[in-house]
Structures are given as structure tokens and as C-alpha cells.
């Protein structure tokens, strides 16, 4: 399409036609169209509209797939640092709050804050050192702009983290109590010597191991969530520290729930045995319901946490096509 326009339309018209198309494509994240147009008409990266060039507009609209085209271009740093509007450079744009429809692509205020920090850090890597401390017409550096623009989101992130951690701490503490008490009340009782009657039974060994795992996992979960609650909740904490703790806490809690249900099934099997087989099997199967529910309810959040914190990130070279 782009090559056909170049062949049939004169230079000035091509410039305007491509420019307007690219602006629309950037705003909607249609990176394939932009890639083709840059490949056919490299100069279009310098098309200016309202003081914005292509990649600074991608930063403003938080379109990472468009921004990633930078990594397919030689001298890609120049395209980020070249423009200024009202004394602002691309890092100022990265410091401003993302449009609501782009911000809401991430779950929860804390992860939204993390995504905003990732954008700021990414652009910060490419700009000149002088641009990091450059002030706009309001005498604000990019970092100051970020702090001012994200003040409310930071508060929402703090509240989200605290409420999530508080609820999870209560649940984890209950599992600590149950697991600790269960190990001293062995199923089937004890002999006159004080030893459990089912000491040599493999199912009893399973009960002990699963109960110990539940105790250690739930204790870990409590400690991790307490560390979240006692955090200073600084901006930088939302980049890695807090998401990592939240991930560890939720995973530990999931392991504790699963281990507790296994311990319950083992204890039930020991106490009832084969005498009421028609009841034992269904009840043990029902024990899987809490584990499944927790996984289903928390799975989207866990996936989001893993991708944003431990994944490869949203900024990368999308293919090997050299654009310019």
C-alpha cells in the first residue's frame, strides 16, 4: 500500500498522507502499518503534528508495539531525544500519566504504577543525560513531572497493596494456626508410649509432610505480607520490590492451601480407612475445591504479576527487519 502511494503521489502529498495515517496508527497502536510506511518512506519518522514526532507520540499514548520499532532502526536514540515542545522532551511525556484506556490494560493500581515506571525507565535509558534534568516551562524536571502526575495513582496503589496484603495475612494466619495444631493431634490417636498409632503408615507420612509444608508456606506468606504492609511505598518500590513480595506471598498461600487439603485428605483416609469407602473418596475430592477456586480467582493476577515482574517485559525488538 505504502509503495503504491509513493509511486503515484507527489512528495508533498505523500508526506501529508503518510503523516496523518501514521498519527492515527500510533494512537491506535497499529504498528504493522507504521513499520511498512517507515520501510518504504523512512523520512516519515520526522513528520510533526502539534509538536510531536512519531516516537514521542508513541510514548505519550503508551503504545509499546509502536515504540518497539525503535529497536529495528539504526541510531534509534536520536528519534527519542530529538524533539521538544514547551521545553519538554520525551522523558517529560513518559512522566505524564498514561491515557485511561491504556492505563486500564493492566490490573490494579499497583501494577499500573509499575507499568508507568517501566515506561519512564525505558525512555530514560535512551535520552541524553542533559534531558534527564531538563526543565519545562513550569520548571519541572521529568522526574518531578512523574511524581506530580502519578500522585493519585501512587495513593491508589498503596491502598490496593495494603488491602490485598491485609486480607491475605488474615487467611495465611488461619492456616498457620490450623497446621500448627494439626501436627500435635495425630489422626488415630497415640499409643501408651505417646507415639502415633499410624506412625509407619505411608499415608501418615504424607499427612506429616503436607502439614509441615502447609505450616512453613503459610508462615512464609504471613511474613511476606507483613513486609508489604510495613513497606515505605515509595515510587521505586512499585517497580520490582512490592510486586515480587506480592507474588511470593500469593504463591506461598496457594501452596499452604493445597498442602492443607492434602493433609486433610490423608487424615480422613487414616481415620475412616476402608470402612466407609463411599464417603471417603467424595470428601477427599471435595477438598480440591478450595484449591481450584483460589487458583481460578487469583490466576489472572498471578499471571499479570509474573509477566510484568519476571517476564521479558514489553520493550523488545519485534523482528529483524531493519527499517532505517
Amino acid at each position: 500500500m505504502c509503495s503504491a502511494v509513493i509511486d503515484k503521489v507527489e512528495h508533498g502529498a505523500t508526506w501529508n498522507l503518510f503523516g496523518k495515517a501514521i498519527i492515527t496508527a500510533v494512537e491506535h497502536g497499529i504498528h504493522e502499518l507504521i513499520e511498512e510506511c517507515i520501510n518504504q518512506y523512512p523520512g516519515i519518522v520526522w513528520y510533526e503534528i502539534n509538536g510531536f514526532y512519531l516516537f514521542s507520540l508513541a510514548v505519550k499514548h503508551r503504545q509499546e508495539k509502536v515504540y518497539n520499532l525503535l529497536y529495528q532502526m539504526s541510531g534509534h536514540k536520536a528519534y527519542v531525544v530529538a524533539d521538544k515542545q514547551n521545553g519538554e522532551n520525551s522523558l517529560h511525556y513518559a512522566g505524564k500519566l498514561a491515557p485511561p484506556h491504556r492505563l486500564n490494560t493492566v490490573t490494579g493500581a499497583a501494577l499500573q504504577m509499575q507499568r508507568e515506571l517501566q515506561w519512564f525507565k525505558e525512555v530514560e535509558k535512551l535520552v541524553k543525560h542533559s534531558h534527564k534534568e531538563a526543565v519545562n516551562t513550569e520548571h519541572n524536571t521529568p522526574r518531578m513531572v512523574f511524581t506530580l502526575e502519578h500522585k493519585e495513582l501512587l495513593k491508589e496503589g498503596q491502598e490496593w497493596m495494603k488491602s490485598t496484603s491485609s486480607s491475605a495475612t488474615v487467611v495465611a494466619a488461619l492456616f498457620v494456626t490450623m497446621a500448627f495444631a494439626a501436627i500435635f493431634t495425630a489422626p488415630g490417636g497415640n499409643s501408651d508410649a505417646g507415639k502415633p498409632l499410624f506412625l509407619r503408615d505411608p499415608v501418615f507420612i504424607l499427612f506429616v509432610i503436607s502439614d509441615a509444608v502447609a505450616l512453613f508456606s503459610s508462615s512464609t506468606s504471613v511474613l511476606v505480607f507483613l513486609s508489604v504492609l510495613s513497606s515505605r511505598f515509595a515510587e521505586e518500590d512499585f517497580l520490582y520490590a512490592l510486586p515480587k513480595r506480592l507474588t511470593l506471598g500469593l504463591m506461598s498461600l496457594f501452596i499452604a492451601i493445597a498442602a492443607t487439603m492434602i493433609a486433610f485428605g490423608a487424615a480422613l483416609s487414616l481415620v475412616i480407612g476402608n470402612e466407609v469407602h463411599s464417603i471417603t473418596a467424595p470428601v477427599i475430592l471435595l477438598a480440591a475445591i478450595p484449591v481450584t477456586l483460589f487458583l481460578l480467582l487469583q490466576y489472572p493476577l498471578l499471571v499479570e504479576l509474573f509477566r510484568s515482574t519476571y517476564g521479558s517485559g514489553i520493550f523488545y525488538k519485534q523482528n529483524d527487519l531493519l527499517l532505517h
Side-chain angles (χ1 to χ4, degrees):
M1 181 191 75
C2 293
S3 57
V5 173
I6 292 172
D7 292 339
K8 296 181 180 180
V9 182
E10 59 95 21
H11 175 78
T14 300
W15 182 262
N16 290 326
L17 182 62
F18 275 10
K20 292 176 181 178
I22 279 189
I23 294 302
T24 303
V26 170
E27 292 175 350
H28 293 85
I30 310 172
H31 67 284
E32 297 91 349
L33 174 62
I34 299 171
E35 183 178 41
E36 182 185 350
C37 289
I38 294 175
N39 191 38
Q40 297 292 332
Y41 199 72
I44 203 67
V45 297
W46 298 113
Y47 183 84
E48 182 180 352
I49 181 169
N50 297 328
F52 291 99
Y53 292 117
L54 191 157
F55 290 107
S56 59
L57 196 64
V59 173
K60 179 185 177 184
H61 289 282
R62 298 297 194 271
Q63 296 292 351
E64 62 273 5
K65 290 188 177 180
V66 176
Y67 181 88
N68 286 339
L69 295 176
L70 277 172
Y71 292 102
Q72 297 170 230
M73 307 178 76
S74 58
H76 56 270
K77 290 186 179 182
Y79 301 108
V80 178
V81 303
D83 59 305
K84 277 191 175 184
Q85 182 194 30
N86 299 325
E88 294 186 332
N89 56 56
S90 293
L91 195 55
H92 283 96
Y93 308 148
K96 294 183 178 181
L97 191 65
H101 71 283
R102 295 301 300 164
L103 197 62
N104 292 330
T105 58
V106 183
T107 305
L111 293 183
Q112 290 174 355
M113 188 68 184
Q114 182 192 44
R115 178 58 57 86
E116 289 291 271
L117 281 164
Q118 288 171 342
W119 266 102
F120 189 83
K121 294 292 183 183
E122 171 64 22
V123 178
E124 190 177 40
K125 289 191 301 185
L126 299 184
V127 301
K128 297 176 182 177
H129 181 73
S130 59
H131 283 211
K132 296 178 184 179
E133 300 300 326
V135 295
N136 58 15
T137 53
E138 297 178 354
H139 304 289
N140 291 325
T141 63
R143 189 73 216 192
M144 293 167 66
V145 170
F146 185 93
T147 300
L148 290 170
E149 289 273 335
H150 293 82
K151 188 181 296 183
E152 290 302 317
L153 185 62
L154 180 63
K155 289 181 181 178
E156 292 174 10
Q158 291 174 356
E159 293 173 1
W160 186 84
M161 274 285 183
K162 286 180 178 179
S163 62
T164 302
S165 299
S166 297
S167 302
T169 301
V170 173
V171 176
L174 289 174
F175 277 93
V176 171
T177 305
M178 288 190 295
F180 187 81
I183 201 67
F184 294 106
T185 53
N190 300 325
S191 64
D192 294 336
K195 294 182 179 181
L197 295 176
F198 297 108
L199 184 60
R200 299 188 181 279
D201 194 313
V203 179
F204 182 79
I205 302 301
L206 175 64
F207 166 79
V208 172
I209 293 173
S210 57
D211 189 71
V213 170
L215 178 62
F216 299 146
S217 297
S218 55
S219 299
T220 300
S221 184
V222 169
L223 293 174
V224 170
F225 285 125
L226 285 176
S227 73
V228 172
L229 291 171
S230 61
S231 173
R232 58 182 184 148
F233 292 103
E235 288 177 358
E236 294 294 328
D237 292 341
F238 284 88
L239 186 58
Y240 291 115
L242 290 175
K244 282 183 177 180
R245 292 178 193 178
L246 186 61
T247 304
L248 177 59
L250 289 173
M251 288 301 298
S252 299
L253 183 57
F254 171 74
I255 293 171
I257 294 173
T260 301
M261 294 302 102
I262 293 172
F264 168 77
L268 188 66
S269 179
L270 285 170
V271 173
I272 297 180
N274 295 322
E275 295 180 10
V276 196
H277 187 71
S278 59
I279 296 177
T280 307
V283 171
I284 291 175
L285 288 175
L286 287 173
I289 292 178
V291 181
T292 306
L293 277 176
F294 181 87
L295 188 60
L296 289 175
L297 294 173
Q298 299 299 327
Y299 180 76
L301 177 59
L302 283 170
V303 170
E304 196 87 51
L305 282 167
F306 268 105
R307 284 180 178 174
S308 61
T309 308
Y310 298 100
S312 57
I314 59 173
F315 304 107
Y316 55 90
K317 188 177 181 180
Q318 294 171 153
N319 59 60
D320 295 325
L321 176 64
L322 183 62
L323 294 177
H324 180 49

